[in-house]
Amino acid sequence: MRSLFFQILLVAGIGFFGYTIFQNTLHNLEQRGISTGFGFLDNEAGFGILMTLVPFDETYTYGRTFLVGLLNTLLVAALGIFFATVIGFVMGVARLSKNWIVSRLATVYIEVFRNIPLLLQIMFWYFAVLRPLPGPRQSIKMGESVFLNNRGLYLPSPVYEQGFWLVMVALALAIVASILIARWAHQRQEKTGQQFHTVLVALSLIIGLPLLAFLLAGMPLSWNMPELQRFNLTGGMVVIPELAALLTALSIYTGAFIAEAVRSGILAVSHGQTEAAYALGLRPGTTLRLVIIPQALRVIIPQLTSQYLNLTKNSSLATAIGYPDLVAVFAGTTLNQTGQAVEVIAMTMAVYLVISLGISMFMNWYNKRIQLVER
Amino acid sequence: MSESENASGKMQVSDDVTIELRGVHKWYGQFHVLKDINLNVHRGERIVICGPSGSGKSTMIRCINRLEEHQQGRIIVDGTELTDDVKHIDQVRREVGMVFQHFNLFPHLTVLENCCLAPIWVRKMPRREAEAAAMKYLEKVKIPEQAKKYPGQLSGGQQQRVAIARSLCMNPNIMLFDEPTSALDPEMIKEVLDTMIELAESGMTMLCVTHEMGFAKTVANRVIFMDGGEIIEENEPNEFFNNPRSDRTKLFLSQILQH
C-alpha cells in the first residue's frame, strides 16, 4: 500500500516536470515569434552542403537537408561498420598469431587506438594527415588517374553505356544460380556424402558470367578520368577529406575494440574442442569452420552489436571536422537558421534511435539463432 | 581361475603389432617428458597405463594420434609412421579414436550431430547413413533417447558415453582413453566403465590411462607403470598387482590401493 502511494507520487512528479518543460518551451517559442510544427520543412534552405548523395542546392527545402544529412550519416556508418569489422577480425586473429612480430604489431595497434579519445583521432586524421597534403596542382599521383590532394581523393568514375544492363542481368543470374548450386550440393552431400567445391564454383560463376556478358555486349563501360586543369581537378569522383578522415578514424578506433571482442571469442573456446576435432580426423580448416567459429561467434556477437551501435552514434562527431552528417547539417545549420529546436532535435534523436534499435534488433535475432542450449 | 584370466580368455590377442613406439623422446622446452619409450601393442590388446601425475602417461598416448609431437624416435600406427606429413597424420587419426577426461563434446551440436560430424566430413558418408550408424552406437552406449539433446543437457556420465559413441562412429581400430573417469562423480564412473568393458569384449585394441585398478584387473592384458617419463614396469595384471618388482611401483600401488 505504502509503496503504491510512493509510486503514484513519483509518476505524478515526473509528469509535472515534463509538463513544466513543455509549457516553458512553448512559452519561449511564442515569445520569440517561432511557430511550432513541422511546416518549416517545406521552406527553402538557402545554404549549400559540401557533399550530397542526392541532388541538392540552395533552392531545395529544409526537408531535403534532413534527407541529405541522413544519407551522409548512413553512408559513413555503413562503410565504417564494414571496414571496422574487417580490421577487427584480421587484427583479433593476428593478436593470437604464433608469429611474434605479427602478434606484437596487432597488440600495439589495439592498445594505442583503443586508448586515445576518438575525437582526437578524428582531428588527427583530418588536421594532421589530410589537410596538410599538397594542393591540387601538386597532387600525389597514384598511377595515371588517381590523385590525392588536400581537397580529397580523386578516382575515376564509371560511366555506364547502353547494354550495361546485360551485365547486371548476368550478375543476377549468377547469384541465383549459385544459391541453387549451394542447395543442390548440400542435398547431394546429405544423400551421397560427396562434397562439392561450392565456394569456388559460385565465385567463378559470379565473376565469370558478368565478365562474359560484358565482353559479349561490347564492353559497355567507360571511365570518367579526373584531369588536372589549371587550378583544380575535373571529372571522376572525389572522396572529400572530411569523409576520409572520419571514416578512417571510426574504422580504426572501432576496429581495435572489435579485435578484442574477436580475440576473447576465440579464446573462450577451449583448446579441448580443437583436440577433439583433430582426434576425430577433422582438418584444421574444417575444425575452424564447423567447431571453433560457431562457438566463438556466440561470445563475439553481443560485443559486436554494441560496437556497431557505438560507431553509428560516434559518427555524429563529424561536426568537429565539418563532414555534413545529420547532426552537422540538420541539427546544426538547419536548426540555427530556423530556430525550430524542439522539432529538429526530436527528429534527429528519432533517427539515431531507429538506426540503433534496428541494428540491435537484427543482432539480437541473430544471436538467438546461434545460442547454445543448456539444461 | 581368477577373474582376469576369465575375461582375457574370451578376448583374442593376435600376434601382429598395431602400434610400435621405438626410442621415443619428447621435450617441453627444457623439460624431458618422455624418455626412450619402447612399446609394442598387439591387435586386440588392452593396455592400462598408470603412474603418478606428471609421469608422461597422457603425453605418451597423445603422441599416438599426434596431438603431441615427439622429437626423437619412431611411432608407427597400423603401418603408418607419424611424421610431419599431413597425409600420414590424417591416416592415423582416422583409425585411432580418443576419449578425453573432459569429454570435449561440441556444445553447439546435438548428440547426434556430434556423432555424425566426422563421418560426414572425414569419411564423406551420406547423412542418413551416418545418422543410422550413430544411432547404432548410441544404442550400444545405451543412450539412444538422448540423440536430439545438446551435451549441456546431459549428465557427466552420459556425456562421456556420447564421447565414446562419437569416437566409435569413425570405426576406429584403436581406442585411446585419457583418464576417462577422472572428471566424473563416483556414481557415474560405473556406467562409463561398463561401456568400456563391453568395448573391450568386442575385441577393440585399447590403451587406457586410468587409476581404476578394478578395471585394470578385469579387462587389461597388460598394465604399464610410468614414472618420470619412463616405463618403469610392465606386466600382466595379476603379476603387476601381486608381485610388483620395482620399489616405485610398490610405493605407487600402496598409495592408491590403501582405500
Side-chain angles (χ1 to χ4, degrees):
Chain A
M1 215 40 220
R2 212 175 112 209
S3 83
L4 187 71
F5 171 73
F6 280 110
Q7 282 180 34
I8 290 172
L9 202 65
L10 182 67
V11 169
I14 292 173
F16 178 71
F17 183 68
Y19 176 76
T20 317
I21 290 182
F22 183 68
Q23 278 302 320
N24 184 40
T25 311
L26 275 187
H27 177 74
N28 287 344
L29 288 175
E30 208 173 311
Q31 272 206 328
R32 284 182 211 163
I34 300 171
S35 59
T36 51
F38 292 93
F40 72 98
L41 290 174
D42 293 328
N43 298 345
E44 191 181 291
F47 65 92
I49 297 176
L50 190 57
M51 185 190 120
T52 62
L53 295 175
V54 286
F56 182 84
D57 62 37
E58 288 84 348
T59 61
Y60 280 85
T61 61
Y62 285 123
R64 189 76 166 186
T65 66
F66 174 75
L67 180 67
V68 167
L70 175 61
L71 288 177
N72 284 347
T73 288
L74 288 178
L75 176 75
V76 78
L79 289 175
I81 284 176
F82 173 76
F83 287 119
T85 309
V86 172
I87 295 173
F89 273 79
V90 169
M91 286 298 170
V93 173
R95 192 168 181 182
L96 292 171
S97 165
K98 287 202 183 86
N99 185 316
W100 190 85
I101 295 192
V102 170
S103 76
R104 263 323 97 123
L105 281 178
T107 307
V108 169
Y109 156 73
I110 290 167
E111 293 309 332
V112 167
F113 286 98
R114 222 160 47 122
N115 292 307
I116 295 175
L118 176 59
L119 183 58
L120 212 56
Q121 292 190 38
I122 294 174
M123 289 169 146
F124 167 77
W125 291 108
Y126 187 62
F127 294 113
V129 178
L130 294 175
R131 285 266 92 175
L133 285 173
R137 304 206 57 189
Q138 286 83 41
S139 290
I140 301 166
K141 267 191 180 180
M142 290 174 261
E144 272 311 292
S145 44
V146 177
F147 300 88
L148 183 65
N149 59 47
N150 62 7
R151 297 201 194 166
L153 178 66
Y154 290 76
L155 302 163
S157 58
V159 181
Y160 308 109
E161 286 159 18
Q162 220 177 8
F164 193 79
W165 62 272
L166 267 174
V167 180
M168 300 313 285
V169 170
L171 181 66
L173 276 179
I175 291 172
V176 171
S178 301
I179 295 170
L180 291 178
I181 287 176
R183 271 207 202 146
W184 167 79
H186 184 72
Q187 277 167 4
R188 192 183 69 155
Q189 190 183 355
E190 301 274 273
K191 282 205 196 85
T192 69
Q194 285 180 70
Q195 285 159 31
F196 190 73
H197 292 288
T198 315
V199 177
L200 269 182
V201 172
L203 259 182
S204 43
L205 260 183
I206 286 171
I207 295 170
L209 216 54
L211 194 70
L212 195 70
F214 181 69
L215 293 175
L216 284 180
M219 301 198 248
L221 178 73
S222 60
W223 296 94
N224 180 5
M225 303 288 184
E227 270 171 54
L228 189 60
Q229 303 291 331
R230 187 176 293 197
F231 295 114
N232 206 349
L233 289 143
T234 56
M237 59 180 179
V238 55
V239 180
I240 57 170
E242 288 79 9
L243 172 60
L246 183 66
L247 188 58
T248 311
L250 281 175
S251 307
I252 291 182
Y253 177 78
T254 314
F257 285 92
I258 292 179
E260 279 301 89
V262 168
R263 183 175 75 112
S264 67
I266 294 175
L267 286 181
V269 182
S270 84
H271 190 57
Q273 294 286 310
T274 314
E275 288 191 336
Y278 284 180
L280 285 166
L282 290 165
R283 286 289 192 76
T286 321
T287 303
L288 201 64
R289 190 159 58 88
L290 299 175
V291 177
I292 309 301
I293 289 178
Q295 294 185 59
L297 273 185
R298 88 198 137 95
V299 180
I300 296 174
I301 294 290
Q303 299 184 60
L304 206 56
T305 312
S306 74
Q307 289 311 322
Y308 286 175
L309 297 180
N310 279 345
L311 188 144
T312 309
K313 289 180 284 182
N314 285 340
S315 72
S316 61
L317 289 172
T319 312
I321 55 170
Y323 173 74
D325 82 323
L326 186 65
V327 172
V329 171
F330 193 64
T333 316
T334 299
L335 171 58
N336 279 335
Q337 290 197 6
T338 61
Q340 307 277 9
V342 178
E343 295 85 350
V344 167
I345 294 295
M347 281 171 78
T348 311
M349 292 201 307
V351 164
Y352 282 98
L353 200 62
V354 168
I355 297 176
S356 296
L357 286 179
I359 294 176
S360 170
M361 266 162 62
F362 171 75
M363 297 301 266
N364 281 342
W365 167 80
Y366 185 69
N367 198 32
K368 207 161 233 166
R369 266 195 48 187
I370 61 168
Q371 204 129 64
L372 283 190
V373 180
E374 302 269 339
R375 82 180 59 203
Chain B
M1 225 187 201
S2 80
E3 201 185 359
S4 81
E5 279 161 14
N6 259 336
S8 13
K10 271 190 280 173
M11 300 176 252
Q12 292 294 311
V13 177
S14 82
D15 286 337
D16 46 327
V17 173
T18 175
I19 305 173
E20 190 180 351
L21 284 81
R22 256 191 277 156
V24 172
H25 287 264
K26 176 173 177 59
W27 289 264
Y28 284 128
Q30 292 294 310
F31 182 56
H32 202 166
V33 219
L34 295 180
K35 299 172 187 160
D36 192 30
I37 300 287
N38 288 287
L39 180 69
N40 279 345
V41 181
H42 299 272
R43 195 173 300 285
E45 208 179 359
R46 295 154 315 269
I47 297 181
V48 163
I49 302 154
C50 58
S53 67
S55 60
K57 48 197 193 313
S58 283
T59 311
M60 183 179 81
I61 69 163
R62 287 159 60 86
C63 279
I64 293 171
N65 65 352
R66 194 70 169 188
L67 289 183
E68 305 280 356
E69 251 172 74
H70 59 287
Q71 278 106 29
Q72 203 181 311
R74 303 181 69 182
I75 300 178
I76 300 156
V77 182
D78 250 348
T80 312
E81 171 155 16
L82 280 169
T83 56
D84 287 335
D85 193 334
V86 181
K87 283 207 183 97
H88 289 191
I89 298 174
D90 280 347
Q91 174 67 32
V92 168
R93 284 180 180 163
R94 240 174 277 169
E95 304 309 325
V96 179
M98 187 166 201
V99 174
F100 299 86
Q101 180 178 0
H102 296 288
F103 332 133
N104 296 353
L105 292 175
F106 307 129
H108 61 300
L109 302 177
T110 63
V111 164
L112 192 61
E113 286 166 342
N114 262 280
C115 293
C116 292
L117 190 72
I120 287 175
W121 290 97
V122 182
R123 292 247 189 259
K124 311 209 185 316
M125 246 194 230
R127 178 175 292 278
R128 196 177 293 167
E129 235 173 81
E131 283 180 352
M135 285 312 293
K136 194 182 84 191
Y137 287 113
L138 286 174
E139 265 157 44
K140 218 171 171 180
V141 301
K142 302 190 180 67
I143 32 175
E145 72 282 0
Q146 313 284 8
K148 297 283 175 211
K149 287 197 184 162
Y150 285 86
Q153 299 169 294
L154 304 184
S155 73
Q158 289 173 323
Q159 289 193 46
Q160 193 61 299
R161 285 187 282 148
V162 171
I164 293 173
R166 179 176 71 174
S167 284
L168 293 177
C169 283
M170 282 297 281
N171 260 322
N173 298 325
I174 298 162
M175 285 287 287
L176 309 173
F177 292 84
D178 190 359
E179 307 209 21
T181 54
S182 303
L184 294 176
D185 292 336
E187 75 269 23
M188 291 169 185
I189 290 177
K190 188 176 177 300
E191 63 186 63
V192 172
L193 287 181
D194 285 347
T195 310
M196 289 169 66
I197 290 170
E198 224 168 276
L199 191 61
E201 282 166 354
S202 73
M204 176 71 73
T205 311
M206 291 165 70
L207 273 83
C208 311
V209 172
T210 182
H211 292 142
E212 295 297 330
M213 290 306 139
F215 174 77
K217 281 177 190 162
T218 33
V219 173
N221 320 83
R222 205 172 1 150
V223 180
I224 291 176
F225 175 71
M226 287 181 75
D227 193 10
E230 290 170 296
I231 294 180
I232 303 293
E233 185 166 347
E234 51 181 310
N235 217 330
E236 60 95 16
N238 265 330
E239 276 297 300
F240 180 84
F241 290 110
N242 298 332
N243 299 312
R245 277 169 281 171
S246 102
D247 290 339
R248 277 197 266 182
T249 316
K250 283 176 196 158
L251 181 67
F252 177 74
L253 285 178
S254 72
Q255 279 165 344
I256 61 166
L257 294 179
Q258 260 168 12
H259 320 284

